[in-house]
């Protein structure tokens, strides 16, 4: 990769910025996306660092994580909301990042179309599944062994 | 129009390599995120199913992978702050190089806090 090429050898831009065609929306979605990456990035730093600290640093760290641990966390609406915000923000932030990568490297129209279709499918499935799991989670399933359940579950 | 580009926009040095690393770490984190939502979703199947799969995260090889994942996240987070400073701070472009070394330093410090704890959890049984 030639990194020493002086910039003077690059051709000058041949035209001013293309004027926007009539009928295109007045808001610039790429600018909204650019701004979203920065705003969500700040929130994600707080959300993910908090998530990693509570799940990997406190107490026994990762060895503590099991069904009862998750049940204990999601019994609290605070952690439900925390994880929901993390899920949505991270998925939108990550999907927009992947969209940028596809646009940069997939040169054929058809390749871009297929990759983006797969990306948006993965986004949809993951966000819907994750959201449903957070809100339909049953911490004390009937018939499960009591030693696997959170301590607040009634004795069978 | 020449058949090949006469030059390249890749400039090398801190600016380009921090951008490459931001891309690579973002790419990796995205795929872990998809897997992580799927494994967590097993809480909806049964306590046994969830515990078996999450147990796989506790073996030493996966533990080293998690250490790498956390390093990737920490770099992406701190370099993300650097990107925002470059964009929004009037002196950002002027200090972008030194800010990358600050990012690297912060990653090292954060990992120095995280690794002893995590590795002892993983290898200490």
């Amino acid at each position: 990769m030639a990194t020493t090429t002086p910039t003077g050898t690059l051709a000058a831009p041949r035209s001013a910025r293309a004027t926007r065609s009539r009928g295109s929306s007045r808001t610039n979605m790429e600018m909204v996306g650019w701004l979203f990456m920065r705003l969500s990035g700040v929130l994600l730093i707080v959300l993910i660092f908090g998530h990693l600290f509570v799940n990997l640093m406190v107490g026994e760290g990762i060895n503590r994580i099991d069904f009862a641990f998750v049940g204990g966390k999601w019994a609290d609406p605070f952690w439900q909301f925390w994880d929901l915000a993390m899920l949505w923000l991270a998925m939108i932030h990550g999907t927009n990042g992947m969209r940028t990568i596809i646009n940069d490297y997939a040169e054929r129209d058809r390749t871009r179309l297929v990759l983006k279709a797969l990306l948006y499918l993965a986004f949809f499935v993951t966000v819907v599944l994750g959201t449903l799991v957070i809100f339909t989670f049953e911490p004390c399933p009937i018939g499960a062994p009591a030693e696997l359940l959170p301590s607040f579950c009634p004795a069978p | 129009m020449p058949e090949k580009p006469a030059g390249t926009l890749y400039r090398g040095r801190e600016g380009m390599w921090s951008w490459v690393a931001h891309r690579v770490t973002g790419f990796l984190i995205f795929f872990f995120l998809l897997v992580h939502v799927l494994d967590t979703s097993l809480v909806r199947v049964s306590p046994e199913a969830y515990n078996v799969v999450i147990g796989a995260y506790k073996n030493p090889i996966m533990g080293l992978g998690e250490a790498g994942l956390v390093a990737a996240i920490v770099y992406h987070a701190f370099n993300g702050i650097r990107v925002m400073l470059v964009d929004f701070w009037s002196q950002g472009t002027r200090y972008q190089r030194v800010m990358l070394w600050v990012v690297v330093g912060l990653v090292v410090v954060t990992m120095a806090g995280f690794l002893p704890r995590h590795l002892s959890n993983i290898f200490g049984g």
Side-chain angles (χ1 to χ4, degrees), chain A residues 31-106:
Chain A
M31 199 275 272
V32 172
W34 178 90
L35 195 59
F36 176 83
M37 293 307 264
R38 278 137 187 87
L39 294 176
S40 62
V42 172
L43 294 171
L44 282 165
I45 291 174
V46 176
L47 290 169
I48 293 177
F49 277 29
H51 176 72
L52 291 175
F53 187 81
V54 169
N55 287 34
L56 297 180
M57 290 289 281
V58 176
E60 304 275 296
I62 194 171
N63 291 329
R64 208 171 34 135
I65 301 177
D66 58 12
F67 183 87
F69 176 82
V70 178
K73 271 183 97 176
W74 283 349
D76 187 344
F78 175 84
W79 285 115
Q80 281 188 315
F81 179 76
W82 186 290
D83 287 357
L84 185 77
M86 201 161 54
L87 171 74
W88 279 74
L89 290 174
M91 281 304 296
I92 300 172
H93 186 104
T95 300
N96 193 42
M98 293 297 286
R99 182 184 69 88
T100 305
I101 290 176
I102 292 170
N103 280 340
D104 277 357
Y105 300 120

Side-chain angles (χ1 to χ4, degrees), chain B residues 2 5 14-15 23 25-27 33 35 39 51 63 68 90 92 101-102 108 112 117-118 125:
Chain B
E14 290 89 339
R23 250 189 194 192
T25 52
F27 189 85
L33 178 58
V35 174
D39 66 55
N51 288 353
S90 60
W101 296 110
V102 173
V108 170
R117 183 95 206 193
H118 184 65

Side-chain angles (χ1 to χ4, degrees), chain B residues 6-94:
Chain B
T8 173
L9 287 168
Y10 292 98
R11 308 291 177 83
R13 299 206 46 128
E14 290 89 339
M16 183 188 109
W17 291 112
S18 63
W19 171 85
V20 169
H22 203 75
R23 250 189 194 192
V24 171
T25 52
F27 189 85
L28 294 174
I29 295 163
F30 180 76
F31 283 101
F32 171 75
L33 178 58
L34 297 184
V35 174
H36 189 47
V37 172
L38 288 180
D39 66 55
T40 304
S41 297
L42 289 172
V43 295
R44 205 66 191 80
V45 176
S46 74
E48 290 88 346
Y50 180 76
N51 288 353
V52 166
V53 171
I54 213 71
Y57 280 106
K58 298 173 188 174
N59 85 49
I61 294 172
M62 291 294 278
L64 291 175
E66 286 139 30
L69 176 75
V70 170
I73 290 170
V74 170
Y75 172 78
H76 200 87
F78 289 148
N79 191 57
I81 295 174
R82 174 178 163 273
V83 169
M84 283 181 268
L85 286 171
V86 169
D87 287 343
F88 296 125
W89 177 38
S90 60
Q91 303 295 306
T93 46
R94 193 166 158 197

